[in-house]
Amino acid sequence: MKLSTVQTIKQRIDDAKASYKASDNISEFISPGEIADLIDEVEAAFDHVLDTLIIDTENDNNSRDTARRLAKMYVYELMEGRYQPRPKVTAFPNTGHDRFEGMLTVKAEITSMCSHHHQPVRGVAIIGLIPTGEVIGLSKYVRIAQWCARRGQLQEELCNQIAKEIMTSTDTENVGVYIEATHGCMEHRGVMAHSSLTQTTVVHGLFHNDAVKSEFFNNVKNQMRHC
Ligand SMILES: [Zn+2]
């Protein structure tokens, strides 16, 4: 019997002994052209969910194409960072007498979703970096942060993941990441909090140093003033 696209992709992941958590990127296991088939299969599954919720997708005009809209939204938007490969990043050498020896602080607006309830998580990630041998274009910090965010995540996990990816791209350990975000999960359900502002921070390398840490948090404060 022919395997479905979902089964084929899962088979490849299992063969590679890799994981496919909501926060994992699985793009290397998907061949070009399979995304369209994947969306068809996700659509059929959402169609079943809507039917099980006893929603009349045939006669309710507003719900008629909802299964397809949901499938495309998950694959192309909400969880894009799972299915699309890492953004292309060119590293530039930071060497010689005019190399930059200071701290770089970049703000990235992020939209994510909690992996528990698939509710929106919205906020900013502020990335601090003291480069060693390499730097990357400013927009690349933002693209990497968004690529990590567009998955099912917990904020703690996202903070770690952005730090790790920035360390890989810039080949330095000297990275700090601060995230401030609101959580639909707390505002629309459960405790129904009117504000769910949550802050997470991770620091690596030189950012463990007190003076560096306080310069970073001072920059974070200045960045947040412009939010
Ligand atoms: Zn949740």
Side-chain angles (χ1 to χ4, degrees), residues 113-119 153-154 183-186 189:
M113 66 193 279
C114 82
S115 40
H116 293 154
H117 301 87
H118 292 197
Q119 287 290 300
Q153 290 280 21
L154 298 188
H183 292 250
C185 202
M186 301 245 288
R189 53 163 300 283

Side-chain angles (χ1 to χ4, degrees), residues 8-28:
T8 307
I9 295 168
K10 279 164 79 171
Q11 187 68 57
R12 289 180 198 137
I13 298 174
D14 285 340
D15 289 348
K17 295 190 169 40
S19 66
Y20 51 96
K21 292 180 291 179
S23 59
D24 284 326
N25 179 279
I26 55 165
S27 62
E28 64 180 292

Side-chain angles (χ1 to χ4, degrees), residues 129-141:
L129 176 85
I130 298 177
T132 44
E134 289 177 345
V135 288
I136 57 176
L138 288 182
S139 67
K140 302 301 182 193
Y141 297 97

Side-chain angles (χ1 to χ4, degrees), residues 7-64:
Q7 286 167 331
T8 307
I9 295 168
K10 279 164 79 171
Q11 187 68 57
R12 289 180 198 137
I13 298 174
D14 285 340
D15 289 348
K17 295 190 169 40
S19 66
Y20 51 96
K21 292 180 291 179
S23 59
D24 284 326
N25 179 279
I26 55 165
S27 62
E28 64 180 292
F29 303 106
I30 305 174
S31 315
E34 279 180 339
I35 289 280
D37 297 333
L38 182 65
I39 287 174
D40 287 345
E41 288 177 29
V42 176
E43 176 187 351
F46 272 128
D47 211 25
H48 181 63
V49 171
L50 292 169
D51 187 48
T52 312
L53 286 168
I54 316 173
I55 292 172
D56 184 353
T57 53
E58 274 176 35
N59 297 302
D60 174 359
N61 286 340
N62 297 327
S63 301
R64 191 170 295 145

